Structure formats: C-alpha cells, structure tokens
Amino acid sequence: MPIWSLHGDGRTVARGAVVKPGERLNWPGTIAIGAQHVVAMFGATFLVPIITGFPVSTTLLFSGLGTLVFLLITRNKLPSYLGSSFAFIAPITALNGGNRLETAEQITQALLGVVVAGLLLAAVGFIVQAFGTGWIEKLMPPVVAGAIVALIGFNLAPAAWNNFQLQPEIATVTLCAVILFSVLFRGFLGRISIFLGVIVGYVVAAVTGQVEFEAVEAAAWFGLPDFHLVAIGDAAAWSIVPMFLPVVLVLIAENVGHVRGVATMTDDPSINKHTGRALIADGVATTLAGGFGGSGTTTYGENIGVMAATRVYSTAAYWVAGIVAILLAFSPKVGAVFNTIPAGVLGGVTTALYGLIGVIGIKIWVDNRVDFSRPVNQYTVAVSFVIAIAGFAMNFGSLQFGAIVLGTIAALVIYHAGNAIARWRKTGADDGGPIPAVGPLGGDPQ
C-alpha cells in the first residue's frame, strides 16, 4: 500500500490550499472522503449494467479493481475513480435492438467489444506516452469531438422511450425528480441528481406495488459475483466489434480531459505528463472487466466534483472507495436490489441522461467557440447527427456497422477531407483548437 504524507494537522485544509495526490488527511477524514466518492460514483456505475443487462455485482467488482489498477499504473500520482462508461451502452444494447441484453450468450459476445476497446485504449496510451497528445488533438478537434460525444447520446433516445412508455407515470415522476434535484441543489447533491432521482422513482414504484422483492429476499447476503467469460472464438461476436470502436475515441477524450482537469485544479502542470499512463490504466481496467463480465470503465466527472468541493485530491481516498466497491460486489443481495428497479424508473432517468450526453457534446462546441458559419463544420455535425438519430446501419460481409460507427466515420471524414480541400484551395482551414474535456462520461468540462 502506498504511503502518503500527512497534510497539515490531518484534520483541516487551509484556505486556498489543496490536499495533493501524495498527501492525505487523518484516516477517519480520508475514509469519510472515500465514502463520498463511493456515493458519487454509485449512481452512474450501477445504472450502466442495469440498462445493458450486465451483472451489477460484477460491474461493481471490476469498477473497484479497475480503480486500484489505475492508481498503481499511474504510480499513485493521479486521483481518479474508474466507473462504468456510458459510451458502451449504445453498442452493447445494439445486440438486442437497443434493449438490455437478455441471455448469457449476448453478454459474452458484447464483452469481446469491451475487451477490444480496452486493448486499443491501452495501445493509444503507449503511443501518447512516447509521442504526446498532439496527434490526438489534430485527429479530434472540438467540432469532431463534440459531434462524437453528442451523437452517442442522441442515438440512445429510442431506448429511453422504450422503457418510458412501459410505465409512463413512474417515468414522469423519476424524470421530474432528476430535474428538480439538479435545479434545487448545488455542489455535491446537485451532481448526484440522477442517483437521487432514481431513489425517488424507486420509492414511488415500491409504495404503489410496482416493485417485485421476491428475488431480493431469496438472494444471499454474501456470495461471488456472476462472472461471464469473453467469447473470443465466437464469429458473431467479432462481427459486432466495429460498433465499439467509436467508444475508444470517447474514452480518449474523457481521460485527457480528466488529467487536464486535475492538473488545473491542483495547480500542478506536471500531472499532465501522466496522460499516457492514464490511458494505459483505463485500457487495462476495461480489458480486465470485459474479460470476466464487467462493464467498460472510464474516469468519472462526478468524483472530480467531490474533489473540487472538498479540495482533497488524495489518492488515499480513492483506495478507500475502490476497496468499498469491491466489498459491495460480494453481496448478491445488493445486486438483486438494483435488478428490481422498474422499467419506468430507467425510462425517466435515461431520458435525462441520454439528453445530457448530447448536451455535453454541444457544450464542447460552445466552450471552444466552434465556428458554425463554416460549411465544413456544419456538414460534419449535420450528417453525423442524422446518421446517429435515424439509426443508419450497414453490413460488409460479416461485419456490422451501426449508426454510431457510421456517424463517427462521417464526422472524421467530412471534417478532415473538407479542410484538406480548403487548404488545397488556399482558403485556410480551421485547426479546431485543442481536444476538449468532456463531462458526465468522464472528465469535467474546463
């Protein structure tokens, strides 16, 4: 276990000071901060497996293990919690027409895409470690990065409606609760508005007799998570791998944004040199999770919010959070409770969540002042959005290319080809600026 130096008296943080990654408060204070990180990550981390059909306990286990792996690979110098990535929802649920997976075979097939995404992310990390992030910034300027993030959220809209219409009253209550919590509260409570909205919707559903508790009563308090092995030799699984490739681009943006955010908030530019290690670590954690039945991971903006509110950036708190997540994973009863969440609650919360993913993409354009008077920027977004929202799909032999893949390819090709033509005509081309940070999928907007 790493050793941290004690910050000040170990109890308080002086005005204008921060607890750096290599420092900690006293252990009671560190455990309390770690508990806040668990609450912050919980709402999003359990929501992904509930939506996709992956085992909740297994996802929690590899979320905790992934966090510890991340801390080890980054040499305990970069605070981060690795929770479930929303970017994986679309390609995973595409296996069942946009709905949660229903069979073990579907889960093992989806895991191959998670593993491949993890391996590619780790490979990118090694390249960044050797050559820096300049090439990423050229590949994905803000107009492209924003389009890719947004189209993933908008592509999921029909899935939200599928659940919403099953229990419209409960869905409406849940959606209203999410909105009210986000508007009424500031700071930490505002950041977990989705989690609080789920609780309100769940309580209303339980009181009105719309929650079945038999499985919870039958579940054991302690037991092993439900593991699934990745289907490496399944030809059908390989055919859907292309649908997971755009996720890698989102994970890159999330990790780069997270590192930059921490460096800015701690006023320590040297943290940026750990970007390559962060990508490698998230890639390894995602690969490990995909190999045994867990959801792909990413850095969490929710936990950046906790750090910003407490001014405690100690990695010791994340060791506590990771260990707590691992312990929770060994309680089948915890997983059974989550599996009783009604479709209406999921419909309400995903109506807000998927829309927020789209808004984060748009915010990237606003923050970077993307010039939409330029035709190349207009068509980069216009074509990719219609492809994603309409659900375009193509098959090339045994390979399946869904709307997110095609939309991502369209955004990249239109932008870079359009600017190449502009340079050829000597009218000038917009380099788009540096790659931005992104929000609820990972890092906080800067």
Side-chain angles (χ1 to χ4, degrees), residues 40-42 44-46 48-49 59-60 62-64 66-67 70 80-88 251 254 282 285-286 289 295-303 318 325 440-442:
M41 70 83 180
F42 216 68
T45 293
F46 87 79
V48 173
T59 295
L60 279 176
F62 286 105
S63 172
T67 297
F70 185 95
S80 178
Y81 189 88
L82 292 190
S84 305
S85 171
F86 290 115
F88 283 97
L251 296 180
E254 289 173 346
D282 192 8
T286 294
S295 298
T297 61
T298 189
T299 52
Y300 259 23
E302 291 88 339
N303 295 93
Y318 284 101
L441 300 181

Side-chain angles (χ1 to χ4, degrees), residues 34-44 188 192 195-196 302-303 306:
Q36 289 187 60
H37 282 301
V38 171
V39 174
M41 70 83 180
F42 216 68
F188 178 68
I192 61 171
F195 182 45
L196 297 176
E302 291 88 339
N303 295 93
V306 173

Side-chain angles (χ1 to χ4, degrees), residues 220-246:
W221 280 103
F222 302 102
L224 291 175
D226 184 15
F227 294 109
H228 293 272
L229 297 180
V230 57
I232 297 178
D234 189 331
W238 282 103
S239 70
I240 61 174
V241 165
M243 292 191 292
F244 289 81
L245 300 184

